[in-house]
Amino acid sequence: MSYKAKFRVWRGEGGEGRLEDFTVEVNEGEVVLDIIHRLQATQAPDLAVRWNCKAGKCGSCSMEINGKPRLGCMTRMSTFAEDETITVTPMRTFPVIKDLVTDVSFNYTKAREIPSFTPPADVKPGEYRMQQIDVERGQEFRKCIECFMCNNVCHVIRDHEENKPAFAGPRFLMRIAELDMHPYDTVDRRDAAQDEHGLGYCNITKCCTEVCPEHIKITDNALIPMKERVADRRYDPLVWLGNKIFKR
Ligand code: SF4
Ligand code: F3S
Ligand code: FES
């Protein structure tokens, strides 16, 4: 069964833009990205959208649908009423290149600022021996498809451009937490998490967890445990005393 849907799509580039209205055919089983493609094919051939896999796995098609960060390829049209106007806008936290395509290089800059996994020099690849529980703990975070919707939705940078230099965002604070949990990682990540990557800015609103298409429990399993490990280090009276004595 097909019907005509009302779409309102953000069009623009170079810092200027507007919402443009369309009426467009929808067929059974389609997702929002299908409709964007139909608009390209029939009414707006220069409409820019980034996508790749159409299977929820490449993280390219992040956009805001009725104000909520979503993957265009995983948002079924059947979740909306047929007479509803569907508004599609680019991710708000990153600069727009054109139409629905944003410049997400902020995220790659943040990724590069995190020292990579650093095993002990005397343990060779193939010699790592880990408890199953340590393997499983990290596995959840490896499901990340780097859609950057968690960074897009976090109010610390969504509403405050000025915080961007000091805040890595939930995706990369999660990466630090993952590395810090790794039994073979030798880099001390706790002070850097707080002082260089802005862990203290996170006030546990959990919006990042709510939007994650991989259902990673970013806040409960990465950010809060990392905050606890930082607090253990900084506010444990024995550690404090030890630092005082040995740093003199
Ligand atoms: Fe996307 Fe989830 Fe990865 Fe964030 S943690 S980038 S929301 S997949
Ligand atoms: Fe932001 Fe997630 Fe913390 S949305 S405030 S990083 S819990
Ligand atoms: Fe790959 Fe949507 S196109 S996640």
Side-chain angles (χ1 to χ4, degrees):
M1 288 283 268
S2 65
Y3 66 96
K4 301 269 188 203
K6 289 191 281 301
F7 259 64
R8 186 164 284 173
V9 183
W10 201 91
R11 308 291 313 273
E13 59 187 307
E16 312 239 321
R18 73 216 163 275
L19 288 165
E20 215 168 278
D21 288 312
F22 298 95
T23 303
V24 53
E25 184 185 317
V26 176
N27 300 310
E28 200 170 341
E30 287 184 330
V31 293
V32 168
L33 186 62
D34 289 317
I35 310 309
I36 300 290
H37 285 160
R38 181 159 302 121
L39 286 175
Q40 285 180 325
T42 58
Q43 303 180 49
D46 62 339
L47 170 58
V49 62
R50 185 188 284 127
W51 69 285
N52 205 318
C53 68
K54 206 171 172 283
K57 285 295 159 222
C58 73
S60 306
C61 65
S62 306
M63 53 184 74
E64 301 199 2
I65 302 173
N66 290 348
K68 292 205 181 97
R70 307 285 295 266
L71 294 178
C73 75
M74 297 304 283
T75 306
R76 292 193 169 277
M77 286 302 297
S78 57
T79 55
F80 306 103
E82 291 189 5
D83 59 355
E84 194 175 342
T85 299
I86 297 161
T87 304
V88 187
T89 49
M91 285 195 284
R92 193 174 100 188
T93 302
F94 311 119
V96 172
I97 298 174
K98 182 172 169 12
D99 302 336
L100 301 176
V101 178
T102 51
D103 175 359
V104 291
S105 51
F106 163 83
N107 301 283
Y108 302 123
T109 304
K110 295 295 169 185
R112 280 194 293 270
E113 287 172 1
I114 299 168
S116 52
F117 172 61
T118 311
D122 57 344
V123 185
K124 295 184 185 55
E127 291 179 355
Y128 304 166
R129 295 292 176 268
M130 288 168 67
Q131 302 261 357
Q132 187 60 23
I133 191 169
D134 288 325
V135 174
E136 280 161 16
R137 196 177 288 137
Q139 206 62 29
E140 178 185 14
F141 310 128
R142 307 294 292 188
K143 290 193 301 181
C144 173
I145 59 169
E146 302 222 307
C147 66
F148 304 128
M149 292 200 292
C150 54
N151 279 6
N152 172 53
V153 82
C154 179
H155 69 99
V156 174
I157 46 177
R158 186 174 175 91
D159 300 328
H160 298 278
E161 185 72 23
E162 71 279 10
N163 287 340
K164 280 186 176 173
F167 186 63
R171 195 277 166 258
F172 297 106
L173 291 170
M174 177 178 90
R175 172 78 181 137
I176 295 168
E178 179 196 342
L179 289 164
D180 193 58
M181 286 174 196
H182 198 298
Y184 277 92
D185 186 61
T186 57
V187 176
D188 185 348
R189 304 190 181 262
R190 295 180 194 190
D191 288 339
Q194 192 75 6
D195 301 335
E196 292 164 33
H197 305 289
L199 181 63
Y201 282 82
C202 164
N203 57 347
I204 318 184
T205 58
K206 297 198 181 186
C207 308
C208 52
T209 302
E210 273 169 36
V211 299
C212 179
E214 286 294 317
H215 308 292
I216 303 170
K217 293 201 168 61
I218 306 168
T219 322
D220 286 354
N221 292 351
L223 305 186
I224 293 174
M226 193 67 206
K227 278 175 175 284
E228 285 170 351
R229 292 198 296 278
V230 170
D232 280 352
R233 154 79 55 86
R234 296 203 169 189
Y235 308 114
D236 181 319
L238 283 178
V239 173
W240 179 83
L241 192 63
N243 284 342
K244 276 267 174 220
I245 293 167
F246 292 113
K247 281 191 183 160
R248 274 202 297 208

